[in-house]
């Protein structure tokens, strides 16, 4: 991958609208809080009616040893093992409510444990949870089985156990290696810790290792971030996610502890991301979607080249499944085009389960129009093109006809150099990748003009 040119400050400011990341369409704020448990049960019955469909499985494990100041996840700090045990009791009950409705032991081809900190679980708790899932589902031998790990509490023994259970993918949180940045975000993690865990994971044969970075953190100057990028590219993980830091202390009180005096200006933040693009390009990585990178021979990079990349709540994937079932507090399922979210409040999630009910707080059943737009947005954001014939096989009428007006608006970005117009498709240019959300928003029927906020602002 060659490194794309950084857009001018003027362009970045002109297209300074906040936009969804489109992990779902419509985005979560447009789902209904009236979506009831009965509807969830009805959707599960529909899944049961297609027993040959495979599943992806997500489990949310919200516990952490301490709260990092910059964190935007649904996480709960505890030092007590019994708190985790009680949570696992509820996940077990949730599973007991759901599994019979799915009509038998369904085949799982992808499983992801996210958090929080999944490796906060003890060995016994990890084995217990894996055993529960293994008992309720037919986990395919070639399934992608992944979890997120905090290297600060990761051990060699933990990795050995995970491999023994069948985990073959792992993602380590890094963010930035500089002590000054780490102090400002309340997460001290010496690089040696990350390196040890990484090398052990390699030695133990994990098929894919991902590292997470964050740009736009306080005191993250170009020199500071260069050191992080050097250390990470030297390790040579298969994949890297490089997320933008969103500083929203009003809605995330823990971020009040972040030393905001050092937050970079939007154009500096844009420069940091551009620096990441250059560093990964030089090291043989492909730029995937908005903010991911994969070694050029990684299946994600190959799929992106072949325009076959997909995306779901678990991230980019080459294996789309019709149903993603999610368990645990705050977890989001996508079952054949119906989104369902569990209560994020741990206490309420547990109480509802104790009452023998499913802890649904919102959901959305996609219309045909939603499905077509989701297809168009996902294809545009993953594969950087919009073939006008897209959707013909599934919907009878392709996007070029159904979304003709919207496509004209996306085509208009050719004047800025964001898209190239080919006879049968529009293609996103390298410059246009920086504005991919602006392009996608033109295809979104739910978007209304929002308040201006810089693209690389620390509050996006
Ligand atoms: S960043 Fe990760 S480890 Fe830190 S509090 Fe959030 S979920 Fe927990």
């Amino acid at each position: 991958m060659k490194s794309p040119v950084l857009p001018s400050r003027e362009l970045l400011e002109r297209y300074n609208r906040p936009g969804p990341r489109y992990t779902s369409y419509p985005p979560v704020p447009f789902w209904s809080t009236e979506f009831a448990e009965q509807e969830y049960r009805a959707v599960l019955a529909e899944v049961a009616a297609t027993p040959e469909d495979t599943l992806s499985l997500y489990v949310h494990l919200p516990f952490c040893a301490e709260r990092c100041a910059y964190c935007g996840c649904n996480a709960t700090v505890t030092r007590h093992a019994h708190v985790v045990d009680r949570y696992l009791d509820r996940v077990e009950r949730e599973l007991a409510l759901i599994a019979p409705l799915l009509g038998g032991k369904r085949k799982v081809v992808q499983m992801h444990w996210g958090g929080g900190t999944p490796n906060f679980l003890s060995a016994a708790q990890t084995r217990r949870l894996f055993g529960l899932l293994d008992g309720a589902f037919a986990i395919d031998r070639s399934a992608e089985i992944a979890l997120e790990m905090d290297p600060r509490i990761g051990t060699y023994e933990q990795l050995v156990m995970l491999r023994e259970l069948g985990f073959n993918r792992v993602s380590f949180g890094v963010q930035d290696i500089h002590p000054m940045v780490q102090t400002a975000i309340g997460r001290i993690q010496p690089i040696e810790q990350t390196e040890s865990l990484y090398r052990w994971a390699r030695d133990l044969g994990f098929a894919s290792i991902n590292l997470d970075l964050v740009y736009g953190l306080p005191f993250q100057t170009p020199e500071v971030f260069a050191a992080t990028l050097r250390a990470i590219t030297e390790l040579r993980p298969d994949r890297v996610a490089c997320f933008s830091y969103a500083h929203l202390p009003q809605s995330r009180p823990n971020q009040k502890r972040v030393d905001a005096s050092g937050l970079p200006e939007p154009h500096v933040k844009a420069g940091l991301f551009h620096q990441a693009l250059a560093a990964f390009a030089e090291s043989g990585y492909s730029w995937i979607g908005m903010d991911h990178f994969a070694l050029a021979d990684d299946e994600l990079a190959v799929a992106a080249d072949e325009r076959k990349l997909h995306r779901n709540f678990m991230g980019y994937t080459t294996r789309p499944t019709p149903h993603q079932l999610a368990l645990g507090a705050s977890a989001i399922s996508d079952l054949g085009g119906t989104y369902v979210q569990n209560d994020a409040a741990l206490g309420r999630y547990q109480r509802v389960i104790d009452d023998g009910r499913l802890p649904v707080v919102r959901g959305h059943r996609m219309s045909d129009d939603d499905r077509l737009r989701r297809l168009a947005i996902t294809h545009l954001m993953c594969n950087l093109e919009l073939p006008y014939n897209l959707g013909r096989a599934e919907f009878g009428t392709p996007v070029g006809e159904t979304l003709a007006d919207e496509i004209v608006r996306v085509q208009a970005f050719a004047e800025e150099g964001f898209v190239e117009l080919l006879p049968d498709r529009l293609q996103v240019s390298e410059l246009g990748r920086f504005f991919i959300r602006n392009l996608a928003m033109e295809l979104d029927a739910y978007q209304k003009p929002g308040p201006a906020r810089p693209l690389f602002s620390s509050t996006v």
Side-chain angles (χ1 to χ4, degrees):
M1 166 183 111
K2 73 177 191 317
S3 173
V5 175
L6 179 64
S8 70
R9 205 163 155 175
E10 190 272 320
L11 260 188
L12 289 171
E13 281 168 8
R14 181 136 39 99
Y15 290 100
N16 59 1
R17 278 186 69 190
R21 289 179 61 81
Y22 291 113
T23 46
S24 69
Y25 180 82
V28 177
F30 298 99
W31 300 0
S32 169
T33 51
E34 305 290 308
F35 193 97
E37 183 188 355
Q38 279 63 29
E39 288 178 78
Y40 187 18
R41 287 179 178 271
V43 173
L44 290 166
E46 287 165 24
V47 177
T50 55
E52 68 291 348
D53 282 355
T54 55
L55 297 187
S56 295
L57 203 56
Y58 173 83
V59 187
H60 190 74
L61 298 160
F63 302 103
C64 297
E66 56 184 295
R67 182 77 158 158
C68 307
Y70 72 98
C71 177
C73 300
N74 174 35
T76 297
V77 171
T78 185
R79 300 204 174 270
H80 305 296
H82 68 265
V83 174
V84 181
D85 287 331
R86 285 186 199 149
Y87 180 76
L88 295 181
D89 291 345
R90 276 38 173 257
V91 173
E92 182 172 1
R93 278 180 220 165
E94 188 185 3
L95 196 52
L97 288 169
I98 288 172
L101 301 175
L102 288 171
K105 243 181 146 184
R106 300 295 294 256
K107 184 172 168 184
V108 166
V109 296
Q110 196 180 35
M111 176 157 76
H112 189 102
W113 293 12
T117 305
N119 66 313
F120 183 71
L121 270 58
S122 68
Q125 289 165 338
T126 305
R127 288 183 190 281
R128 175 188 173 193
L129 179 58
F130 198 93
L132 287 174
L133 299 166
D134 199 28
F137 299 98
I139 300 174
D140 195 60
R141 282 191 164 276
S142 65
E144 293 178 0
I145 308 182
L147 91 164
E148 296 163 14
M149 286 184 80
D150 181 346
R152 295 172 302 166
I153 58 167
T155 62
Y156 180 74
E157 292 70 28
Q158 219 169 41
L159 289 168
V160 170
M161 173 194 61
L162 291 166
R163 281 296 290 136
E164 186 198 309
L165 286 173
F167 282 88
N168 47 33
R169 290 166 187 263
V170 63
S171 178
F172 298 126
V174 179
Q175 331 317 346
D176 189 289
I177 67 163
H178 199 285
M180 190 165 64
V181 178
Q182 294 187 353
T183 304
I185 63 170
R187 182 182 172 117
I188 303 299
Q189 181 176 324
I191 181 66
E192 295 74 21
Q193 245 170 359
T194 307
E195 284 172 351
S196 304
L197 215 60
Y198 176 88
R199 295 198 198 290
W200 291 332
R202 273 274 173 258
D203 291 347
L204 289 166
F206 279 85
S208 179
I209 305 178
N210 175 82
L211 300 183
D212 282 348
L213 299 180
V214 177
Y215 69 94
L217 294 171
F219 308 111
Q220 211 175 31
T221 61
E223 296 70 37
V224 161
F225 200 42
T228 294
L229 293 170
R230 214 168 24 250
I232 298 310
T233 49
E234 275 170 17
L235 282 178
R236 221 161 165 71
D238 304 281
R239 298 173 188 178
V240 178
C242 188
F243 297 114
S244 164
Y245 173 58
H247 188 62
L248 302 165
Q250 300 80 6
S251 52
R252 298 171 184 163
N254 57 299
Q255 290 187 346
K256 289 184 181 146
R257 291 194 286 122
V258 170
D259 184 348
S261 67
L263 283 174
E265 292 292 320
H267 69 280
V268 177
K269 188 175 178 184
L272 293 172
F273 183 64
H274 190 253
Q275 216 180 320
L277 288 178
F280 289 117
E282 272 165 33
S283 303
Y285 286 80
S286 296
W287 182 12
I288 305 289
M290 277 197 304
D291 43 22
H292 283 59
F293 301 90
L295 284 173
D297 58 356
D298 185 280
E299 61 181 4
L300 280 191
V302 174
D305 278 351
E306 294 173 352
R307 315 280 193 220
K308 289 180 184 162
L309 193 61
H310 302 270
R311 191 173 181 201
N312 60 29
F313 283 110
M314 291 175 245
Y316 292 99
T317 180
T318 57
R319 305 186 191 189
T321 52
H323 311 293
Q324 295 145 48
L325 179 70
L327 302 166
S330 79
I332 295 176
S333 300
D334 173 1
L335 301 168
T338 298
Y339 297 118
V340 184
Q341 183 171 29
N342 279 350
D343 205 323
L346 195 55
R348 280 204 306 265
Y349 163 80
Q350 301 193 143
R351 277 195 298 279
V352 174
I353 297 266
D354 289 346
D355 286 349
R357 292 180 290 127
L358 291 167
V360 181
V361 287
R362 61 173 62 79
H364 180 86
R365 189 181 276 268
M366 269 184 262
S367 64
D368 280 350
D369 183 69
D370 290 338
R371 288 170 195 265
L372 183 79
R373 287 175 194 268
R374 176 172 76 162
L375 179 68
I377 289 173
T378 307
H379 194 88
L380 181 76
M381 294 185 76
C382 287
N383 298 309
L384 308 171
E385 62 163 18
L386 191 55
Y388 303 138
N389 208 24
L390 186 72
R392 186 184 286 285
E394 300 92 320
F395 299 95
T397 315
V399 296
E401 290 175 33
T402 317
L403 304 179
D405 292 345
E406 289 84 344
I407 287 175
V408 168
R409 293 204 297 272
V410 183
Q411 287 169 334
F413 283 101
E415 274 188 33
E416 297 283 22
F418 295 175
V419 292
E420 288 152 31
L421 307 183
L422 305 179
D424 62 339
R425 68 193 59 216
L426 60 83
Q427 207 157 288
V428 180
S429 67
E430 288 200 340
L431 179 64
R433 295 191 73 167
F434 289 88
F435 304 95
I436 193 82
R437 289 200 289 185
N438 300 70
L439 303 179
M441 279 190 282
E442 297 297 343
L443 303 169
D444 181 343
Y446 295 82
Q447 278 302 313
K448 297 191 181 63
R453 222 188 276 164
L455 187 69
F456 283 100
S457 154
S458 290
T459 52
V460 171

